[in-house]
Amino acid sequence: MKTPKICKTRQELKAAIAEANPRSLGFVPTMGALHQGHGSLFRIAREENELVVISIFVNELQFNDAGDYARYPRQLQADVQLAAEAGVDIIFAPEAQEIYHAGLPLIKLASGRMGELYEGASRPGHFDGMLAVVSKLLHLADPRQGAYRAYFGQKDAQQVVLIRRMVADLDYPVELRSVPIVRSEKGLALSSRNALLSEAEKEAAMVLHRSIQLIADRAANHEPLNIEDAIGLFQMEPLVQLDYFTVVDPNTLEELAFNCQDTPFTGEGLILVAATVGKVRLIDNQPISA
Ligand code: AMP
């Protein structure tokens, strides 16, 4: 197993990519505290590209809650090990001042209406902050020649939609790939934040997956979704505070109100759920079609 090269500065990253001179580069941005969800992105990038570059950077700009930023797990050594096992070649792990070298950005990307829904409503500024860093990282890892692909998890469905729009609207020369959610054996979507849950909270968090399954099964059977039944499941979990449970159009993210109640479900949808378990905010989702 080869140890990935660790680059702390943009110059080191640029030099390492130039030295490899790859015909194709797969880039995976992360915030570290890596788990097999990230591992799945790395492996797919490994299969599809000559060079695999990942970044590990906890981006302060996308945290609207200072406590959440302070608590976010950081574990570079374990991350290097997981990345090595997945065949990553280069890890870009900059300090904040390397990314925001001229201070926090004056010129900003605005995620617009789609960035104000769901996660954006509960975490004001989150998506603008996410776009601020992803837009820069996509430049920094750009090989400038050969194929360039970037990989994102379907776990963060709203993020994927917004990054697709950014890449299209700003003509980024990168091909985007989205990768299905990796779950624990019991069905909990893997997340770096799961490490902050107690055993009891982990058990209680299973309601996210259970509620999604209930509605996804109804969709598959062309039944009315009646999403209030899913919402009812949360009321039986005292450790879990539901933020939203909704079914949306997968392209526009607008709510599919007419499909969710009395009429049989048809067409395409995306179930989105967010809840706080103890102090930890969790999200999950699942595409549905019938
Ligand atoms: P993060 O480190 O949380 O910013 O995540 C980095 C990338 O990994 C994002 O594109 C996430 O969507 C993706 N990711 C995180 N968890 C999972 C998971 N359970 N399954 C698939 N992708 C994931």
Side-chain angles (χ1 to χ4, degrees):
M1 192 169 63
K2 206 179 79 185
T3 307
K5 181 175 177 54
I6 298 175
C7 301
K8 289 278 186 190
T9 67
R10 51 182 72 208
Q11 282 82 5
E12 283 168 18
L13 176 64
K14 195 172 172 186
I17 294 171
E19 191 190 337
N21 191 22
R23 274 169 300 182
S24 56
L25 184 152
F27 175 51
V28 189
T30 82
M31 297 205 299
L34 302 178
H35 50 67
Q36 288 309 327
H38 301 104
S40 151
L41 272 70
F42 302 163
R43 287 194 177 83
I44 293 173
R46 175 75 285 161
E47 280 166 22
E48 296 181 352
N49 301 279
E50 210 172 278
L51 190 73
V52 176
V53 178
I54 70 163
S55 61
I56 295 179
F57 180 61
V58 185
N59 172 39
E60 188 174 354
L61 281 192
Q62 70 193 68
F63 288 81
N64 58 312
D65 172 349
D68 187 24
Y69 176 63
R71 272 195 303 273
Y72 201 82
R74 293 160 171 89
Q75 45 165 65
L76 187 61
Q77 249 185 333
D79 288 351
V80 172
Q81 179 67 23
L82 188 142
E85 283 162 13
V88 168
D89 299 302
I90 297 173
I91 299 177
F92 180 45
E95 297 295 335
Q97 72 188 37
E98 182 65 21
I99 294 295
Y100 299 118
H101 52 108
L104 293 179
L106 178 67
I107 309 301
K108 292 181 182 147
L109 291 168
S111 53
R113 173 163 168 76
M114 278 204 295
E116 287 167 8
L117 301 166
Y118 319 115
E119 283 309 280
S122 296
R123 306 175 65 191
H126 166 67
F127 286 117
D128 291 359
M130 179 277 291
L131 291 179
V133 79
V134 172
S135 61
K136 284 162 83 77
L137 291 170
L138 286 175
H139 282 313
L140 296 176
D142 187 341
R144 313 282 155 154
Q145 54 182 2
Y148 181 28
R149 304 184 180 99
Y151 296 77
F152 293 89
Q154 192 56 42
K155 160 91 186 336
D156 297 279
Q158 194 174 359
Q159 170 172 290
V160 170
V161 173
L162 282 165
I163 292 171
R164 274 201 192 291
R165 275 307 291 257
M166 179 185 80
V167 163
D169 289 350
L170 302 183
D171 287 310
Y172 268 77
V174 64
E175 181 189 340
L176 292 183
R177 311 285 251 179
S178 73
V179 175
I181 300 180
V182 178
R183 298 177 178 282
S184 73
E185 235 168 78
K186 288 183 167 173
L188 184 64
L190 298 190
S191 162
S192 305
R193 289 190 168 87
N194 293 354
L196 305 172
L197 296 170
S198 68
E199 281 311 310
E201 288 167 344
K202 245 182 222 166
E203 200 53 47
M206 292 306 306
V207 69
L208 276 82
H209 186 237
R210 266 203 319 281
S211 61
I212 284 181
Q213 280 308 111
L214 174 71
I215 301 305
D217 287 348
R218 288 181 182 169
N221 296 329
H222 303 277
E223 292 170 8
L225 301 187
N226 292 324
I227 61 172
E228 64 276 14
D229 294 341
I231 292 165
L233 294 179
F234 284 84
Q235 281 152 8
M236 296 189 282
E237 294 288 347
L239 297 178
V240 183
Q241 187 71 41
L242 178 65
D243 181 356
Y244 57 81
F245 185 104
T246 185
V247 181
V248 303
D249 178 304
N251 299 310
T252 64
L253 298 182
E254 297 293 338
E255 222 164 307
L256 291 187
F258 66 93
N259 248 332
C260 296
Q261 303 305 332
D262 305 326
T263 48
F265 178 80
T266 54
E268 301 276 317
L270 176 66
I271 304 171
L272 293 177
V273 59
T276 304
V277 186
K279 281 192 161 151
V280 183
R281 189 184 160 77
L282 298 177
I283 57 173
D284 201 344
N285 71 84
Q286 187 160 315
I288 50 177
S289 65

